[in-house]
Amino acid sequence: MDLEGLRSFLAVARHRTISKAAASLHVTQPTMSLRLRRLEDGLGFPLFERGWRGVTLTRRGAYFLPYAAQLVRDLAGASAVLGEPGHGRPLSFATVARGRADQLVVGVDPWLTGRLTDAVVDTFHAATGPAGFRISSRPAPTLIDLLELGHLDYAVYYSTGRGDVSHARPLLRDRMVLVHHSDLVLEGESAVREALANHDFLLFDNPVLTHHADVTTRLIDHYGLTRFRVVDDLDVMLSLLRKGDTISILPVSALPPDSRSAKVSITELGRFPPEITIDLGWHAGSGRAAESGAFHAAISAAVGAAVGTAVGTAIGQQTPNGSPTPGS
C-alpha cells in the first residue's frame, strides 16, 4: 500500500471529484485514477462509487477512511519531527528523543488500567532508575510487531493465547464479565440472554476486534448477538454504558479502578467466556533480556498486591498447592 495512493484516496474523499482531487495534488486525472485503482486492487474492495453526481465513498471506503487519515497524519508528524527545526516547525528529533543509549523501551497496551500500568512502571523504575526506561503505549498487535522488529525490549499486552511472540510469559489470567448500567439486575443465564437481546452490544472496532476475533466470535455465536454499536475508545464505551441502553463484555482488567461507579456494574458470566491472558513479552536481542524472569516476577507480585481477586490471578502468585495466595 503506497503513500501516494492513500493521499489520492483522501483527496478524492475531500473533493468528491477526480478532477478537483488531481488538481489539489498537482497530478493529471489519469494518474489519479491509476493510483486509486492500484490502491483498490491492493485492498481487495472498492473505495468509491462513481456516478452522475460525482464520486461517493462505498461503505467499506467510509470505514477505511479514518484509518487512512490517521496513518497519513502519523507519517507526516514523524517526518516533521525528523526534519531540521526551524520557524514554525516542531522540536527536532535530537530534542524529543534525547535519552541514554541503554534506555529500555517498554510497551504497554492502552487497554490496561492504571493499576496494571503502575505495576509495570514501578518494576522498571526500581530496576533501571527513573531515566533508564521509556514507556510506549500502543495497541497489542502493534506491540507484538514492534517486539519482533526489535524496537521494544519488553511489552505488556493482552494475548490471543496463540503464541503471539516467541518470547513471552503470562502475567495474569483474567475473566470476561458483562458490563452494564447498575439499574439492570441480572440473575441467571436467562436474564443475561434477555438483556443481551434487548440492548445494543458495544463492540470494539479494529485493532481490538481483529486481535481477539476468536473470542469475539465465540461470544457473538454463544449469545446470538445481533444488535451492535461500534466504539473505538474505552471511555466512550463507559459513557454509553452509563446511559443505560447498551451492554458489553470486557476483561475486568480493562475497567479503570473508578469505572464501577453508581451507574456501572458488572455481572459474572459463568464458565463459558474464555479467560484472557496478559503477557510479558521481550525481544531476545535486548541487552537486558536475561532479566526477563526477574521482571516477570516483579510485575506479577506488583499486580497481585495491587489488584487482588478484583481482576484475576497473577501468574506466580500461587501457594505451593496451587491456590491463590490471600489477597491475590
Side-chain angles (χ1 to χ4, degrees), residues 172-193:
L172 180 77
R173 292 192 184 98
D174 197 11
R175 66 195 189 282
M176 307 289 284
V177 294
L178 199 67
V179 189
H180 53 86
H181 194 280
S182 57
D183 287 346
L184 190 62
V185 179
L186 304 176
E187 297 181 358
E189 178 75 5
S190 60
V192 168
R193 288 185 175 275

Side-chain angles (χ1 to χ4, degrees), residues 71-266:
L71 176 59
V72 171
R73 178 63 63 185
D74 285 346
L75 292 174
S79 176
V81 170
L82 291 169
E84 292 299 322
H87 180 68
R89 294 182 62 85
L91 295 173
S92 70
F93 174 76
T95 302
V96 300
R98 183 179 296 133
R100 296 183 350 207
D102 61 344
Q103 188 178 57
L104 286 177
V105 183
V106 182
V108 178
D109 191 325
W111 260 43
L112 295 173
T113 68
R115 292 175 298 187
L116 273 69
T117 303
D118 284 346
V120 176
V121 171
D122 290 347
T123 295
F124 287 97
H125 186 279
T128 70
F133 71 102
R134 178 168 62 88
I135 297 292
S136 177
S137 181
R138 294 287 188 276
T142 303
L143 294 180
I144 291 165
D145 289 342
L146 293 176
L147 276 174
E148 295 291 352
L149 290 166
H151 178 76
L152 296 177
D153 297 289
Y154 290 91
V156 180
Y157 55 90
Y158 282 104
S159 169
T160 62
R162 297 190 300 268
D164 301 301
V165 296
S166 55
H167 301 282
R169 290 178 62 189
L171 282 166
L172 180 77
R173 292 192 184 98
D174 197 11
R175 66 195 189 282
M176 307 289 284
V177 294
L178 199 67
V179 189
H180 53 86
H181 194 280
S182 57
D183 287 346
L184 190 62
V185 179
L186 304 176
E187 297 181 358
E189 178 75 5
S190 60
V192 168
R193 288 185 175 275
E194 182 179 357
L196 287 167
N198 295 324
H199 292 74
D200 288 344
F201 188 83
L202 296 176
L203 186 68
F204 261 88
D205 200 358
N206 176 63
V208 177
L209 180 62
T210 54
H211 186 55
H212 298 291
D214 53 340
V215 174
T216 304
T217 301
R218 286 181 62 191
L219 290 171
I220 290 173
D221 290 345
H222 181 78
Y223 289 108
L225 304 180
T226 58
R227 296 171 50 176
F228 301 101
R229 280 196 229 172
V230 175
V231 294
D232 58 10
D233 180 84
L234 188 60
D235 288 333
V236 172
M237 171 179 276
L238 292 171
S239 180
L240 291 172
L241 288 169
R242 293 186 186 103
K243 297 299 181 184
D245 56 351
T246 58
I247 200 166
S248 194
I249 297 173
L250 291 172
V252 181
S253 51
L255 296 170
D258 59 350
S259 65
R260 291 168 65 181
S261 64
K263 294 185 178 181
V264 178
S265 298
I266 67 172

